[in-house]
Amino acid sequence: MNSSITSPSESLFIGDLRLGDHARVLEITGGKVMQQRLGMLGIRRDTPVRVVHGPGKRGAVLQVGGARIALGWGVIQRIRVAVIPTESTHTGEKT
């Protein structure tokens, strides 16, 4: 989708982001077990994440803190996020 979203009221799922997008986790819509598992991996509400590979049909790789975590398509479609606008280091423009 569009990575220039700046309004915090607009939320997407991780599967809707593009490579390199930064986002903040708003909610995990999966069940209790999924929420616990993702919490153990460091993915919980208000956690900043960055897409480092994908997303594609098979899932995505997220950077969470210093770790990179691979998640399947079914999981990334249950993590609702808000895009965090960042400045491009090459152009100085906000993306």
Side-chain angles (χ1 to χ4, degrees), residues 36-55:
Q36 288 176 336
R37 178 177 174 266
L38 291 174
M40 287 188 282
L41 294 171
I43 301 172
R44 51 185 72 87
R45 178 177 252 171
D46 293 327
T47 302
V49 298
R50 182 172 68 97
V51 179
V52 294
H53 189 271

Side-chain angles (χ1 to χ4, degrees), residues 1-94:
M1 295 288 265
N2 186 354
S3 68
S4 64
I5 296 172
T6 57
S7 171
S9 64
E10 295 188 54
S11 64
L12 305 167
F13 289 99
I14 289 178
D16 299 324
L17 299 177
R18 295 189 310 189
L19 179 65
D21 281 350
H22 293 255
R24 182 177 49 85
V25 176
L26 298 176
E27 145 184 62
I28 298 169
T29 61
K32 185 174 183 177
V33 173
M34 181 183 292
Q35 291 177 15
Q36 288 176 336
R37 178 177 174 266
L38 291 174
M40 287 188 282
L41 294 171
I43 301 172
R44 51 185 72 87
R45 178 177 252 171
D46 293 327
T47 302
V49 298
R50 182 172 68 97
V51 179
V52 294
H53 189 271
K57 293 179 185 177
R58 297 177 63 187
V61 178
L62 303 179
Q63 183 167 350
V64 182
R68 292 184 176 196
I69 301 168
L71 299 172
W73 181 254
V75 176
I76 64 172
Q77 286 301 100
R78 296 185 184 275
I79 303 172
R80 187 175 300 275
V81 295
V83 174
I84 300 170
T86 57
E87 272 193 36
S88 171
T89 56
H90 300 289
T91 63
E93 296 177 6
K94 290 193 177 194

